[in-house]
């Protein structure tokens, strides 16, 4: 079971209007809008597009449709009155014309029951858009022996959310960490380690020590050019499979991965495949051979390139003049591998905006090589810069702010917020970790990804405002209400079956919650369509806001002790279910107590 293509209410309204307008249901569902003001109704159909076929003014069409809908509904209501209580009553409507718009409001309790069931279903959040298709998602992809930058953090957070979104939409998702584990810098690092370094020092602080060795190498190489040759010689040995060089290289990878793993662990990120750039070393020649056979490789100043003049781009470098391959060569081999060996129907690359030209070139070369590549959806998902507390994290110079420290700081601040709010909370440290990390993850995802972010920890760990902790806190609040109800013995299974209270959920605040719940599938779909997790993040903020408004709009426990309380608790549970599911898709955990 999966969720419908549009919201449930739009589907129902489209089914109602299709025979009256002669327009197909899918088309109608797409045309239906949410009115700008909730007092106008739940849905609105602009009748302007109908004017041509029905040959009447939009306003006349709207009022005729309104009369038809209301007439039909009265007939149905009379018919239903005599019948038994239906376990799933149909959705009823009240219609009103306003200018060229037909406004519809769901009536009775059928729609309430249907919307609650949708949120209670095990199919919550599940779509079938991607059924039978495989997507390969490249994200995080940090460089060995270098600190993970904020850019890598963004890639990790956005990429993981996109992976979850694809998975819930039915895609077969394969995630890859394309580690930067190859390049001439490893020759330098080996040379520096041999001269000044030690394994113990590297094991104690792998990335810090690598960085120090790296910096020292560059400093001393300025005075002693022989060092450069030494680094080059070590890289050559590495390329030729020299045992000592290989062993040291593998050691660097192992040690760096330990550090990366710590961050992944805290973020709760996993990968299906850890395939670094070096994995493609023995696959590049075959890729180049295919370019050669297709007549695409051309000489340019001793180098071999693929010209991309018609595409309006500079040529894509494949072999440098010394015959060595580069980052782009590896990405060509990688793309071929992901399509052919991994069976990818869609390839996603979550990489900073500064690599836009690189990916455009790689994609263009693939299409020149083989036109069937045009049918493979290849998407570079770029993102903008993120500054944390005004600091830009750079890896080159000595001044580096490590990601770990940023996460620690967020957790510390979250703990302070919790101490102030609920000092008796059990398991405070674990909750602070969830909230602190959640603050960073949500802060990264809440704005459109291309926007630059100036990240303020103070703002992001706050329990109110547009923050992850606000959504988490709202969820915990709903959980606490449900716990209190359970303790008091209200809202039990028997009462939940009591339909009489459902009408209480027609109040404006409850209605707004129900409509938001119904929009969950559209939020997921929108986020996927634009490869933009912020669409889901904004949705969750709106749902949290709607729930809090409902929560504050009148008594829930002991509202009437019976049907009304049960119905309100049912809505609370439905909101909680969507909040935690949505937070999970974005990669946040949802503690049930904060
Ligand atoms: N390691 C690269 C960097 O830090 C990112 C790799 C992205 N993935 C790729 N297939 N090129 O810039």
């Amino acid at each position: 079971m999966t969720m419908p293509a549009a919201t449930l209410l739009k589907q129902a309204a489209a089914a109602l209007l299709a025979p009256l307008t002669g327009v197909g249901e899918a088309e109608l569902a797409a045309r239906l809008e949410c009115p700008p003001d909730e007092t106008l109704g739940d849905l609105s159909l602009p009748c302007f597009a109908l004017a041509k076929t029905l040959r009447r003014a939009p306003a006349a069409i709207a009022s005729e449709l309104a009369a038809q809908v209301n007439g039909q509904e009265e007939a149905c209501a009379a018919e239903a009155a005599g019948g038994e209580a239906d376990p799933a009553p149909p959705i009823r409507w009240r219609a009103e014309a306003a200018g060229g718009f037909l406004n519809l409001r769901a009536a009775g309790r059928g729609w309430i029951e249907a919307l609650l069931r949708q949120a209670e279903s095990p199919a919550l959040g599940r779509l079938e858009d991607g059924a039978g298709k495989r997507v390969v998602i490249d994200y995080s992809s940090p460089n060995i022996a270098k600190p993970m930058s904020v850019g890598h953090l963004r890639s990790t957070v956005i990429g993981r959310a996109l992976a979850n979104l694809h998975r819930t939409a039915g895609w077969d998702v394969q995630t890859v960490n394309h580690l930067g584990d190859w390049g001439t810098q490893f020759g330098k690092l080996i040379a520096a380690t041999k001269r000044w370094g030690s394994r113990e020092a590297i094991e104690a602080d792998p990335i810090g020590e690598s960085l120090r060795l790296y910096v020292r190498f560059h400093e001393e190489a300025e005075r002693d050019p022989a060092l450069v040759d030494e680094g080059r010689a070590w890289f050559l040995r590495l390329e030729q499979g020299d045992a000592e060089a290989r062993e040291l290289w593998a050691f660097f990878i192992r040690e760096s991965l330990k550090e990366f793993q710590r961050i992944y662990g805290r973020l709760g990120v996993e990968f299906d495949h850890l395939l670094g750039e070096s994995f493609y070393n023995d696959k590049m020649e075959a890729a180049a051979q295919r370019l050669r056979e297709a007549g695409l490789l051309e000489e340019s100043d001793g180098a071999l390139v693929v010209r991309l003049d018609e595409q309006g781009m500079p040529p894509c470098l494949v072999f440098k003049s010394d015959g060595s391959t580069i980052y782009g060569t590896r990405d060509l081999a990688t793309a071929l591998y992901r399509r052919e060996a991994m069976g990818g129907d869609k390839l996603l690359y979550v990489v900073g905006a500064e690599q836009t030209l690189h990916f455009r070139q790689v994609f263009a070369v693939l299409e020149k090589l083989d036109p069937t590549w045009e049918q493979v959806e290849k998407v570079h998902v770029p993102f903008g810069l993120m500054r944390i507390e005004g600091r830009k994290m750079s890896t080159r110079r000595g001044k580096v702010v490590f990601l770990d420290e940023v996460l620690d700081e967020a957790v510390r601040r979250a703990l302070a917020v919790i101490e102030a709010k609920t000092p008796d909370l059990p398991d405070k440290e674990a909750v602070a970790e969830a909230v602190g990390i959640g603050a960073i993850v949500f802060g990264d995802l809440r704005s459109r990804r291309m926007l630059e972010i100036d990240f303020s920890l103070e703002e992001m760990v706050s329990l109110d405002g547009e923050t992850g902790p606000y959504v988490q806190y709202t969820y915990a609040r709903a959980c606490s209400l449900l716990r209190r109800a359970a303790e008091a013995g209200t809202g039990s299974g028997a009462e939940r079956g009591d339909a009489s209270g459902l009408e209480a959920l027609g109040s404006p605040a409850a209605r707004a919650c129900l409509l938001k719940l119904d929009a969950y599938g559209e939020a997921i779909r929108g986020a996927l369509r634009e490869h933009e997790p912020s669409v889901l993040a904004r949705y969750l903020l709106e749902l949290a806001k709607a729930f809090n408004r409902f929560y504050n709009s009148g008594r829930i426990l002991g509202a009437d002790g019976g049907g009304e309380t049960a119905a309100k608790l049912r809505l609370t549970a439905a909101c909680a279910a969507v909040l935690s599911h949505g937070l999970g898709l974005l990669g946040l955990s949802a503690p049930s107590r904060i």
Side-chain angles (χ1 to χ4, degrees):
M1 256 252 286
T2 52
M3 307 216 347
T7 68
L8 218 143
L9 279 192
K10 282 185 188 172
Q11 300 254 112
L16 171 81
L17 296 174
L20 305 180
T21 56
V23 179
E25 286 186 27
E27 173 61 27
L28 279 171
R31 284 191 205 170
L32 282 161
E33 300 169 352
C34 296
D37 174 351
E38 65 184 24
T39 61
L40 292 173
D42 301 327
L43 289 174
S44 177
L45 180 73
C47 296
F48 309 95
L50 295 170
K52 239 209 184 117
T53 46
L54 301 180
R55 301 221 205 132
R56 273 190 301 279
I61 297 174
S63 36
E64 270 166 48
L65 284 173
Q68 281 174 297
V69 169
N70 292 333
Q72 208 170 313
E73 290 293 316
E74 268 156 39
C76 289
E79 209 172 281
E84 299 239 321
D86 184 347
I91 297 178
R92 306 258 65 104
W93 299 97
R94 293 289 310 153
E96 213 171 277
F101 291 89
L102 172 71
N103 293 334
L104 293 168
R105 179 183 296 280
R109 62 186 173 84
W111 70 281
I112 299 173
E113 182 65 41
L115 261 44
L116 287 173
R117 283 188 194 183
Q118 177 171 243
E120 289 160 355
S121 150
L124 174 67
R126 233 185 287 148
L127 314 175
E128 56 191 17
D129 307 35
K133 289 184 287 184
R134 174 170 289 180
V135 59
V136 180
I137 311 185
D138 177 325
Y139 66 92
S140 195
S141 308
N143 301 317
I144 295 297
K146 288 189 186 164
M148 212 189 260
S149 68
V150 175
H152 295 121
L153 173 69
R154 293 212 71 192
S155 167
T156 307
V157 166
I158 296 170
R160 181 253 307 263
L162 290 174
N164 289 342
L165 283 159
H166 279 84
R167 215 172 281 120
T168 203
W171 287 83
D172 170 3
V173 178
Q174 299 290 317
T175 57
V176 190
N177 192 347
H178 188 77
L179 286 177
D181 63 358
W182 199 253
T184 50
Q185 72 272 24
F186 287 96
K188 297 175 191 168
L189 193 54
I190 294 175
T193 307
K194 298 287 291 179
R195 281 202 177 208
W196 316 296
S198 76
R199 281 180 189 258
E200 293 70 40
I202 293 175
E203 276 163 4
D205 178 12
I207 289 173
E209 179 63 10
S210 303
L211 209 61
R212 276 188 288 277
L213 288 169
Y214 207 60
V215 169
R216 182 157 176 195
F217 182 94
H218 281 279
E219 279 169 7
E220 304 223 355
E222 269 174 38
R223 270 170 271 137
D224 179 5
L227 211 51
V228 178
D229 294 329
E230 208 171 298
R232 222 177 261 142
W234 272 110
F235 184 60
L236 194 68
R237 286 173 69 176
L238 182 61
E239 277 187 306
Q240 289 165 345
D242 172 88
E244 187 183 3
R246 283 268 159 178
E247 202 278 323
L248 264 171
W249 170 74
F251 169 73
F252 293 133
I253 296 182
R254 243 183 357 257
E255 292 302 316
S256 286
L257 272 178
K258 273 189 211 156
E259 290 216 7
F260 296 158
Q261 209 48 57
R262 207 178 47 241
I263 291 175
Y264 294 145
R266 294 184 80 175
L267 294 171
V269 167
E270 284 171 27
F271 299 91
D272 299 312
H273 308 276
L274 195 66
L275 294 175
E277 291 183 33
S278 67
F279 177 75
Y280 302 94
N281 281 345
D282 64 357
K283 296 170 182 62
M284 278 181 292
E285 188 38 50
Q289 186 55 27
R290 281 158 79 168
L291 294 173
R292 213 172 275 124
E293 278 163 16
L296 293 176
L297 280 189
E298 287 178 40
E299 226 196 276
S300 164
D301 293 332
L304 288 175
V305 303
V306 178
R307 297 208 148 273
L308 296 169
D309 301 333
E310 305 124 68
Q311 288 77 8
M313 280 184 266
C316 178
L317 186 56
V318 178
F319 289 107
K320 291 200 283 192
S321 50
D322 63 5
S324 60
T325 56
I326 59 159
Y327 183 59
T329 324
R330 280 189 280 284
D331 258 324
L332 287 170
T334 303
L336 292 167
Y337 183 82
R338 287 181 185 166
R339 181 181 180 195
E340 293 163 6
M342 297 180 76
D345 300 295
K346 171 175 177 180
L347 309 183
L348 279 192
Y349 298 83
V350 186
V351 186
E354 67 285 352
Q355 295 192 26
T356 299
L357 176 62
H358 164 75
F359 285 106
R360 284 183 56 217
Q361 289 177 309
V362 169
F363 299 161
V365 171
L366 292 169
E367 291 183 2
K368 276 190 103 163
L369 175 66
D370 171 0
T372 66
W373 267 99
E374 282 163 31
Q375 279 116 53
V376 179
E377 202 184 341
K378 310 169 286 302
V379 193
H380 171 213
V381 181
F383 47 82
L385 271 182
M386 177 157 93
R387 258 179 259 274
I388 297 190
E389 307 289 341
R391 288 174 301 190
K392 213 162 110 184
M393 300 200 194
S394 74
T395 59
R396 278 290 152 79
R397 311 264 153 204
K399 265 186 262 134
V400 198
V401 186
F402 287 101
L403 225 45
D404 252 349
E405 290 165 18
V406 174
L407 298 183
D408 286 342
E409 178 66 21
V411 171
R412 236 187 335 267
R413 286 175 190 244
L415 188 60
V417 170
I418 293 166
E419 291 282 7
K421 182 133 197 137
T422 40
D424 302 327
L425 186 76
D427 234 356
K428 262 182 285 191
E429 274 73 27
V431 175
E433 177 81 13
V435 172
I437 303 286
I440 299 232
V441 171
F442 198 90
D444 187 328
L445 296 178
R446 72 170 187 180
S447 334
R448 294 193 68 86
R449 59 182 154 71
M450 279 305 287
L451 292 177
E452 280 194 20
I453 301 179
D454 214 329
F455 202 102
S456 148
L457 286 172
E458 168 93 17
E459 184 199 341
M460 284 305 164
V461 299
S462 160
L463 295 183
D464 36 51
E466 304 196 317
T467 67
Y470 167 71
V471 182
Q472 289 173 314
Y473 181 62
T474 304
Y475 169 74
R477 181 177 229 192
C479 289
S480 132
L481 179 64
L482 295 169
R483 266 194 312 270
R484 276 181 282 137
E487 280 157 21
T490 25
S492 67
E495 283 165 68
R496 283 168 146 255
D498 177 355
S500 66
L502 281 187
E503 318 253 340
L505 302 185
S507 74
R511 179 180 280 270
C513 272
L514 284 162
L515 294 177
K516 268 286 157 239
L517 289 177
D518 194 18
Y520 186 42
E522 282 191 343
I524 294 176
R525 229 174 236 121
L528 274 169
R529 192 171 44 242
E530 303 174 45
H531 299 108
E532 186 65 86
S534 65
V535 173
L536 178 57
R538 310 242 49 111
Y539 165 84
L540 290 176
L541 288 170
E542 285 164 18
L543 176 60
K545 235 177 268 168
F547 174 75
N548 283 316
R549 174 178 159 211
F550 161 70
Y551 184 90
N552 293 320
S553 70
R555 292 182 64 119
I556 296 179
L557 288 184
D560 66 348
E564 187 179 332
T565 294
K568 288 183 166 177
L569 289 173
R570 218 179 137 188
L571 178 59
T572 301
C575 290
V578 174
L579 287 172
S580 81
H581 191 274
L583 284 171
L585 289 181
L586 293 184
L588 281 85
S589 51
S592 58
R593 289 171 206 262
I594 289 185

